[in-house]
Amino acid sequence: MFLNCHSYHSLRYGTISIKELVKQAVRFNIKTLALTDINTITGIYDFYKLCQDHNIKPIVGVEIRLQDELYYICLARNQKSIAEVNRLLTAYNCEGIEIPKANPDFTDTFVIYPLENIPEKLADHEFIGIRQNQLNLLIKPELKQFIHKMVILHPVTFTTPEEYELHKILRAIDHNTLISKLTEADYCKDNEMFTDKKELLAQFYHQSQIIENTKYIVNSCHFDFDFSTPKNKKHFTDSKENDSKLLKKLAYQGLSKRYSEDNLQAKARMDKELGVIDQLNFCAYFLITWDIIQYSNRMGFMHIGRGSGANSIVSYCIGITDICPLELDLYFERFLNLNRKTPPDFDIDWSWQTRDIILEYIFDKYGKDHVAFCGTNVEFKYRSIFREIGKVFGLPKDELDTLATKPIQEHDNNSVSRQVHYYGKLLEKFPNQRSMHSCGILISEEPITNYSALEMPPKGFPIVQFDMYTAEEIGLEKFDILSQRGLGTIDDTVKLIKEKRGIDIDIRDTSLSKDEARCNEFLSSGKTIGCFYIESPAMRGLLRRLKCDNYKVLVAASSIIRPGVAQSGMMREYIFRHNHPTKFEYFHEVFEKELGETYGIMVYQEDVIKIAFHFGGLSAPDGDVLRRAMSGKGRSLSALQRVKDNFFESCKKLGHPEQLSMEVYRQIESFAGYSFCKAHSASYAVESYQSLYLKVYYPIEFMVSAINNGGGFYRTEVYIHEARMSGATIHNPCVNLSQYQTTVYGSDVYLGLMHIERLETRLARLIPEEKAQNGDYTSLENFIRRIPIGIETLQILIFIGAFRFTGKQKHELLIESRFLLGNNKIAFRHPTLLDEPQKDYQLPSIVRNPFEDAFDEIEILGFPVSFSPFDLLQTRYRGSVMAKDLIGFHKKQIKMLAYLISRKHVPTKKGTMYFGTWIDAEGEYFDTAHFPNCLEEYPFQGGGCYLLLGTVEVEVDFHFPTVTIHKMSKMPFIPDPRYSMDKEKSLEAQGNLHEDISMTWRKPYPQEHEIGLPRNKMTE
């Protein structure tokens, strides 16, 4: 009888999770239950499964509302019916087609109208819902005539009085208003909760027709969904047989290019893989991915195929990946095996500049009715919850800021704050809005609206209303179409080298860059800023600690740098064993045999599975559960517990002592959640090498491309510094020589107009376009005639030196701009054949302080160009030690003067600490550690130069120095000469200098003695 239930997927309306909704139904002994969330089918598949688990008949549907007005409730008679509703919502969401207020074009769907929206005519499948408190209205003649078409309507929206208040809070958040300003029309009735079914029916005792109509609907609805059948596009060609033939043909063509004719190992591997792929009916999945790659190649785009797909020699030979699985001993079973029923998962990266073109191709090629992005639920976050609820209760901005930014213990302990905390706790994990999955594309055999209504987020590609987990459960496996800036940097560098030097580089030929001698020199010394994945301070430090000088060590480094691995103690232990291979014993014979390449340490997901198989004797299906848990795809804790039980039972049968088995499982468990797929690491390592090769041999072009692609780990200033250290001369933006992006002429690098923050993008693009079309700007007046610009924007260009080609001083140009653009009017005129010559004003020459330019640059660009930050200091002192000499000062106290590049926040049990990255006056990098006791007295004070006092600690074999800081002080700049008459103003510029800060909100890592891996063999 409960035909109108809302879950919390009725965003900012419902208060009940799907699990709790079914739990409540069990409690009230309800045998049939309907889920009708507002304008969404998000929860119907989880709901269906949970109802079946509890022997409840599930009815699914949607409540249609617009602008809070209830139009009608739709209930699905069958699978076709939900598709009807999905298409109605999709037409509205994606094409703006209005939803009819009555009589929607349905044939398989029951429609129930509220009393407030009775249409003039009711079709056979349409009914009117009546609530128990509306029964007394049936004496009215205009309603009496409809009794034969009425059903019981008892909505469910909350479960407790507290949840009713939470519902009101959600409605206030949705309306962006105070809870006190809500009207009764804005929220639901106070009885919309489960009640005893017998008591509900008793209310309608005298209206047997209404009860019978309700039973009719309940008995007529049958939503039987087949979860086991794959829903992805079945064939690439016209049949399974032709798919198989085409894939085999392409694979063997690629085999002849990738390997020599007599490589029997490769041929055997190919035959084995093709057999499994065909048996699992995944040929179409491979071919669709291949087709997308072929389009990309035709367009001249660069891609990286990564993830477990690189475990496949078929993927390698048809061009999806560039990782040879034989070289790295990547086993195919990690990617596909006969126990796996879901399609494989390819992760493919494109440049952020070209990804949308790839997406458009996929939507066009496979049909907009069959392609959509996965959705994702964006939950209410800890800080936003407090801010949102505080607004609802009318708190002022400063109190909202306190609630959102400070720990709970620092909040005021008043009645309103207590309410905010109470309801905030209830709101945790609630979905707040639906968004687009960052990369997951679904391509279905049947129209995708058979499974979901589609929504159109701002990015312009439709999304389904459920997430990737639900997609997978119902048989839709995603294609991961990703984007990254690293590929854009590589691609742009190759094009820039061709344009500026006339040199063609086939950067896709991995033999060019992988294990190249000079690249390995840079790698082992951590000279990798700008290079994909290996430029962060932590990664550069790891490369130096490992003396990483080859591809395989880089593959391992790419995995052990992953966040969280310290919880297994693996990273520190790997560094030790790599540098001291004779100073440890293998924990057990299985570890030596299976993990010899990584010194007996589980570095990759594959290693974890190897130990589970070869030590613990786990079955392949259990291994797959473990793999999915490691990759974050498994949601079942009970399944993981079953694997754990099986592991210990199997170990006991194999004769392993319990203590040994417990230690092995501890190592598995502690690393499993953070492990990285080896093929994924290998793909990253190849891209790292490609970018490193370009940095080593074409450093200026590479750094210019890094700047134009938005950099990476660091801010633009750092990449400009790297270009300068590589031999470039850096020039401020110029209207004649600069483009929108940064460009290079030989060793002269001209910053792009895009870096002038207060210059509109439209103008920054127009200036070089106009110059390309009609020639150089010959004067300030000529520029103003050709570009529609206001006085303030023109002055910014003057201050940054964009008109220095005129040979005039800035003050002359400023006065001239006032003559030409008095009263801030835009004096743009269309070009004429005969321009009047400009008047020549003789102005007095003014002696300018040379540092004025640097302060102009800091104000406009955020960093100085004409001078280094050290040049602007009041002190001439540059420190007693330079970065290049630190290794010789192990355990000694030193003083350094340095410019702050970045700092990383690291929580510890004793408080916050930071790791800093700096450059000295010679431009060389070094690293510092700042412990909580030091930071209390000597905190960071923003970007700029600091005087540092600390002790040098040189780790492992004396090749990686870190300075542990005891004291530090920010050094003052000279007063800004532009404001010599205003002391306060002359000290402001330093505040415009930036720093890169990485904040980490995780629990402190355990100490080494709590997590360390044993270095000695454990006897059985």
Side-chain angles (χ1 to χ4, degrees):
M1 300 302 158
F2 298 92
L3 302 181
N4 185 207
C5 298
H6 305 110
S7 77
Y8 61 19
H9 292 298
S10 293
L11 300 179
R12 303 187 207 97
Y13 192 97
T15 65
I16 319 170
S17 69
I18 299 290
K19 193 173 182 180
E20 184 60 32
L21 186 69
V22 175
K23 189 176 173 183
Q24 286 282 321
V26 171
R27 183 181 158 209
F28 281 91
N29 198 29
I30 295 165
K31 296 301 180 185
T32 303
L33 187 65
L35 177 67
T36 55
D37 276 317
I38 297 170
N39 297 346
T40 185
I41 55 82
T42 302
I44 66 172
Y45 298 105
D46 283 346
F47 172 76
Y48 179 90
K49 281 193 165 185
L50 279 169
C51 283
Q52 287 201 320
D53 290 345
H54 291 88
N55 296 315
I56 295 172
K57 178 182 177 179
I59 297 174
V60 301
V62 175
E63 178 177 300
I64 303 295
R65 280 180 184 253
L66 259 73
Q67 283 80 47
D68 291 339
E69 183 182 356
L70 172 59
Y71 280 16
Y72 37 80
I73 298 143
C74 306
L75 296 175
R77 282 180 172 175
N78 49 44
Q79 175 63 32
K80 287 182 182 176
S81 169
I82 206 69
E84 284 185 327
V85 181
N86 287 340
R87 283 192 282 274
L88 178 81
L89 286 168
T90 299
Y92 174 71
N93 293 335
C94 300
E95 298 170 42
I97 297 172
E98 281 299 319
I99 293 176
K101 195 169 180 179
N103 308 122
D105 186 16
F106 293 154
T107 57
D108 287 290
T109 305
F110 286 119
V111 176
I112 301 172
Y113 296 94
L115 280 189
E116 296 78 15
N117 184 34
I118 300 175
E120 292 180 8
K121 185 179 178 183
L122 287 170
D124 290 344
H125 59 278
E126 295 183 324
F127 295 84
I128 297 163
I130 184 163
R131 300 176 183 231
Q132 61 208 68
N133 60 353
Q134 294 173 328
L135 284 169
N136 59 341
L137 300 176
L138 294 183
I139 60 171
K140 294 182 178 181
E142 63 268 26
L143 291 180
K144 225 173 190 180
Q145 61 175 319
F146 292 113
I147 289 177
H148 70 289
K149 292 288 284 182
M150 286 185 176
V151 296
I152 299 170
L153 183 62
H154 183 84
V156 174
T157 303
F158 57 92
T159 61
T160 64
E162 290 84 6
E163 278 188 16
Y164 185 49
E165 289 306 308
L166 184 65
H167 163 75
K168 288 182 178 177
I169 288 169
L170 285 167
R171 300 308 300 133
I173 290 172
D174 192 49
H175 283 264
N176 193 26
T177 189
L178 299 176
I179 193 167
S180 57
K181 290 193 174 180
L182 290 175
T183 66
E184 285 190 9
D186 294 327
Y187 52 86
C188 72
K189 301 291 185 279
D190 60 7
N191 67 340
E192 291 193 12
M193 54 198 296
F194 282 112
T195 186
D196 184 87
K197 180 181 170 184
K198 289 180 181 177
E199 290 179 11
L200 179 62
L201 287 173
Q203 301 282 324
F204 291 84
Y205 178 76
H206 297 292
Q207 299 292 346
S208 60
Q209 181 66 58
I210 295 177
I211 295 174
E212 288 306 310
N213 288 344
T214 308
K215 287 180 178 177
Y216 166 71
I217 287 181
V218 166
N219 293 331
S220 300
C221 288
H222 300 283
F223 181 72
D224 297 314
F225 192 82
D226 178 10
F227 286 84
S228 62
T229 306
K231 311 298 187 300
N232 282 60
K233 184 170 172 60
K234 287 182 181 177
H235 310 304
F236 177 73
T237 61
D238 57 352
S239 67
K240 178 181 183 298
E241 293 72 24
N242 286 335
D243 278 1
S244 180
K245 287 177 185 175
L246 177 58
L247 182 61
K248 186 173 183 178
K249 176 186 171 187
L250 294 170
Y252 276 99
Q253 284 175 352
L255 186 71
S256 64
K257 294 176 184 175
R258 296 282 200 183
Y259 299 97
S260 62
E261 288 294 322
D262 58 350
N263 194 324
L264 299 179
Q265 184 189 8
K267 287 181 179 177
R269 172 83 172 245
M270 179 70 79
D271 288 336
K272 172 189 166 187
E273 287 194 17
L274 286 171
V276 172
I277 293 165
D278 189 48
Q279 195 172 337
L280 292 173
N281 296 320
F282 293 152
C283 291
Y285 199 91
F286 275 76
L287 288 169
I288 290 169
T289 308
W290 166 82
D291 173 62
I292 296 166
I293 298 299
Q294 290 302 299
Y295 172 75
S296 173
N297 291 341
R298 289 195 301 273
M299 295 295 290
F301 298 159
M302 194 173 171
H303 80 278
I304 293 285
R306 57 180 175 85
S308 60
N311 288 56
S312 164
I313 200 168
V314 174
S315 303
Y316 180 53
C317 289
I318 66 175
I320 295 173
T321 67
D322 283 312
I323 306 299
C324 171
L326 303 181
E327 178 187 9
L328 291 174
D329 190 28
L330 304 175
Y331 61 103
F332 181 60
E333 289 73 15
R334 163 64 182 83
F335 179 51
L336 273 186
N337 59 70
L338 294 175
N339 295 294
R340 179 175 180 169
K341 303 304 179 190
T342 55
D345 194 5
F346 286 115
D347 296 336
I348 306 175
D349 286 338
W350 275 272
S351 162
W352 63 285
Q353 298 163 322
T354 58
R355 176 180 180 247
D356 281 1
I357 300 171
I358 296 294
L359 292 175
E360 285 168 9
Y361 171 77
I362 295 169
F363 276 86
D364 290 343
K365 172 75 182 265
Y366 297 98
K368 288 184 167 54
D369 292 337
H370 297 265
V371 184
F373 265 89
C374 271
T376 182
N377 281 323
V378 180
E379 296 175 349
F380 280 101
K381 297 292 190 299
Y382 166 79
R383 295 172 189 281
S384 67
I385 289 175
F386 287 163
R387 188 179 291 279
E388 292 283 7
I389 297 177
K391 279 166 61 180
V392 161
F393 286 122
L395 294 179
K397 184 181 182 303
D398 58 338
E399 289 189 46
L400 293 177
D401 291 340
T402 299
L403 287 170
T405 59
K406 293 189 177 178
I408 288 179
Q409 53 268 30
E410 293 183 30
H411 296 179
D412 288 340
N413 187 24
N414 55 45
S415 59
V416 177
S417 287
R418 287 196 293 273
Q419 277 192 297
V420 170
H421 293 157
Y422 177 75
Y423 288 110
K425 191 74 177 169
L426 294 180
L427 262 189
E428 279 183 9
K429 302 295 182 184
F430 267 47
N432 181 27
Q433 61 188 41
R434 269 181 299 279
S435 183
M436 177 188 286
H437 186 280
S438 60
C439 58
I441 294 277
L442 306 174
I443 304 177
S444 62
E445 176 69 19
E446 297 178 15
I448 207 154
T449 48
N450 284 4
Y451 313 110
S452 173
L454 303 182
E455 296 181 6
M456 188 67 77
K459 287 189 178 179
F461 292 104
I463 63 170
V464 294
Q465 292 182 321
F466 45 71
D467 63 19
M468 57 180 276
Y469 300 110
T470 301
E472 189 176 303
E473 282 173 5
I474 69 175
L476 278 167
E477 196 75 17
K478 62 185 171 61
F479 294 77
D480 282 334
I481 307 297
L482 303 107
S483 69
Q484 46 150 291
R485 293 181 182 272
L487 274 177
T489 298
I490 293 171
D491 205 27
D492 284 357
T493 305
V494 170
K495 290 173 181 172
L496 196 57
I497 294 164
K498 172 67 175 172
E499 177 192 342
K500 300 294 183 178
R501 299 201 192 191
I503 299 172
D504 281 306
I505 298 172
D506 183 7
I507 201 66
R508 297 184 196 185
D509 179 3
T510 55
S511 63
L512 184 72
S513 55
K514 200 169 66 175
D515 281 342
E516 197 274 339
R518 194 152 169 245
C519 290
N520 284 333
E521 285 179 29
F522 274 58
L523 198 63
S524 63
S525 58
K527 294 179 180 177
T528 54
I529 285 183
C531 299
F532 173 77
Y533 202 69
I534 55 173
E535 66 163 338
S536 71
M539 191 64 181
R540 290 187 300 107
L542 177 59
L543 295 173
R544 291 177 67 178
R545 288 179 174 97
L546 294 173
K547 290 184 270 190
C548 178
D549 63 355
N550 66 76
Y551 173 55
K552 288 193 176 180
V553 175
L554 180 57
V555 173
S558 298
S559 184
I560 62 176
I561 196 68
R562 296 286 287 175
V565 293
Q567 282 198 294
S568 67
M570 178 272 298
M571 184 168 114
R572 185 179 290 273
E573 187 62 23
Y574 185 90
I575 295 168
F576 176 84
R577 294 186 186 189
H578 178 78
N579 284 286
H580 304 286
T582 61
K583 293 185 179 179
F584 73 94
E585 296 176 334
Y586 282 95
F587 180 66
H588 186 273
E589 288 82 359
V590 169
F591 283 69
E592 183 172 11
K593 181 182 176 185
E594 300 298 333
L595 308 180
E597 183 185 307
T598 55
Y599 314 109
I601 297 171
M602 288 176 273
V603 170
Y604 311 108
Q605 284 181 1
E606 289 85 347
D607 296 341
V608 181
I609 297 171
K610 279 180 186 177
I611 295 303
F613 281 168
H614 297 289
F615 178 88
L618 282 187
S619 65
D622 279 353
D624 201 49
V625 171
L626 195 60
R627 174 191 70 78
R628 296 171 74 73
M630 286 189 288
S631 59
K633 292 184 178 178
R635 289 196 288 179
S636 173
L637 292 175
S638 59
L640 201 56
Q641 183 61 45
R642 179 180 56 77
V643 170
K644 185 175 182 177
D645 295 340
N646 290 349
F647 175 84
F648 283 109
E649 189 179 332
S650 177
C651 285
K652 193 173 181 180
K653 288 179 183 176
L654 291 168
H656 296 313
E658 185 179 359
Q659 188 178 356
L660 176 67
S661 302
M662 286 176 68
E663 172 57 26
V664 171
Y665 194 80
R666 182 193 75 82
Q667 292 182 34
I668 288 174
E669 198 170 42
S670 62
F671 183 51
Y674 305 106
S675 57
F676 212 24
C677 165
K678 187 177 183 180
H680 208 111
S681 293
S683 304
Y684 272 7
V686 166
E687 188 177 346
S688 297
Y689 259 117
Q690 288 172 324
S691 55
L692 182 58
Y693 177 84
L694 295 170
K695 177 184 171 75
V696 168
Y697 288 101
Y698 306 95
I700 297 176
E701 288 85 354
F702 178 76
M703 296 320 303
V704 165
S705 296
I707 291 165
N708 288 336
N709 279 275
F713 187 88
Y714 306 96
R715 61 191 182 276
T716 299
E717 178 187 3
V718 179
Y719 299 106
I720 290 170
H721 170 74
E722 276 289 293
R724 185 182 284 115
M725 294 293 286
S726 301
T729 302
I730 309 299
H731 299 274
N732 280 318
C734 168
V735 294
N736 277 333
L737 290 166
S738 289
Q739 301 295 320
Y740 174 72
Q741 295 185 319
T742 297
T743 192
V744 59
Y745 306 94
S747 61
D748 289 304
V749 171
Y750 281 81
L751 297 182
L753 297 171
M754 63 183 284
H755 298 299
I756 302 174
E757 291 180 10
R758 286 178 285 171
L759 183 64
E760 289 179 58
T761 299
R762 175 185 61 83
L763 274 178
R765 291 188 181 280
L766 177 62
I767 290 167
E769 286 170 6
E770 163 62 23
K771 182 250 180 187
Q773 191 170 347
N774 295 307
D776 284 359
Y777 301 103
T778 57
S779 64
L780 183 66
E781 183 178 25
N782 176 257
F783 177 84
I784 291 170
R785 285 174 181 267
R786 295 162 62 180
I787 299 294
I789 193 168
I791 187 70
E792 288 186 5
T793 307
L794 184 63
Q795 287 179 344
I796 290 168
L797 289 174
I798 291 170
F799 279 125
I800 203 60
F803 296 99
R804 57 191 180 277
F805 69 89
T806 63
K808 295 180 178 180
Q809 289 186 313
K810 289 182 182 179
H811 78 281
E812 292 182 77
L813 292 166
L814 289 170
I815 293 170
E816 188 177 338
S817 70
R818 284 290 176 184
F819 279 124
L820 294 167
L821 287 179
N823 303 318
N824 200 32
K825 66 178 185 292
I826 293 176
F828 173 68
R829 295 190 294 275
H830 291 287
T832 59
L833 288 173
L834 298 170
D835 279 343
E836 292 180 25
Q838 70 179 94
K839 294 175 184 177
D840 194 16
Y841 302 96
Q842 292 298 319
L843 296 171
S845 180
I846 295 177
V847 178
R848 297 182 74 248
N849 186 315
F851 290 128
E852 287 186 38
D853 287 340
F855 283 96
D856 281 339
E857 290 153 6
I858 291 172
E859 188 175 311
I860 295 170
L861 300 174
F863 51 87
V865 175
S866 305
F867 296 89
S868 87
F870 297 95
D871 296 327
L872 304 179
L873 293 172
Q874 292 183 16
T875 179
R876 298 294 100 194
Y877 180 68
R878 294 296 178 260
S880 59
V881 176
M882 290 295 161
K884 66 178 186 294
D885 301 318
L886 282 174
I887 284 178
F889 287 83
H890 182 45
K891 295 295 181 184
K892 293 181 181 175
Q893 189 166 286
I894 52 101
K895 263 189 200 176
M896 299 185 77
L897 191 76
Y899 183 59
L900 181 58
I901 297 298
S902 67
R903 56 183 164 114
K904 182 180 180 181
H905 164 273
V906 179
T908 72
K909 291 180 180 178
K910 294 182 179 179
T912 289
M913 72 174 292
Y914 278 95
F915 289 105
T917 299
W918 312 74
I919 58 171
D920 65 15
E922 294 177 348
E924 298 295 335
Y925 298 89
F926 68 95
D927 297 285
T928 57
H930 305 252
F931 288 92
N933 56 345
C934 169
L935 286 168
E936 281 181 23
E937 197 169 348
Y938 303 102
F940 284 93
Q941 295 178 299
C945 294
Y946 288 72
L947 182 62
L948 306 172
L949 177 70
T951 300
V952 181
E953 306 285 347
V954 185
E955 300 179 36
V956 183
D957 287 353
F958 303 95
H959 53 265
F960 183 71
T962 299
V963 183
T964 299
I965 299 301
H966 308 311
K967 296 180 180 179
M968 69 176 181
S969 176
K970 190 172 179 182
M971 303 303 285
F973 273 8
I974 58 172
D976 186 343
R978 301 173 305 166
Y979 303 105
S980 56
M981 305 297 289
D982 185 338
K983 186 176 179 182
E984 194 173 314
K985 190 81 173 168
S986 71
L987 301 176
E988 286 182 0
Q990 192 165 353
N992 291 330
L993 293 175
H994 302 294
E995 56 177 324
D996 297 311
I997 308 176
S998 305
M999 299 303 288
T1000 311
W1001 304 107
R1002 56 164 172 76
K1003 291 180 180 178
Y1005 287 148
Q1007 297 299 299
E1008 187 179 356
H1009 68 272
E1010 298 174 293
I1011 57 174
L1013 294 176
R1015 283 183 189 161
N1016 296 312
K1017 184 175 182 179
M1018 193 166 182
T1019 54
E1020 299 196 17

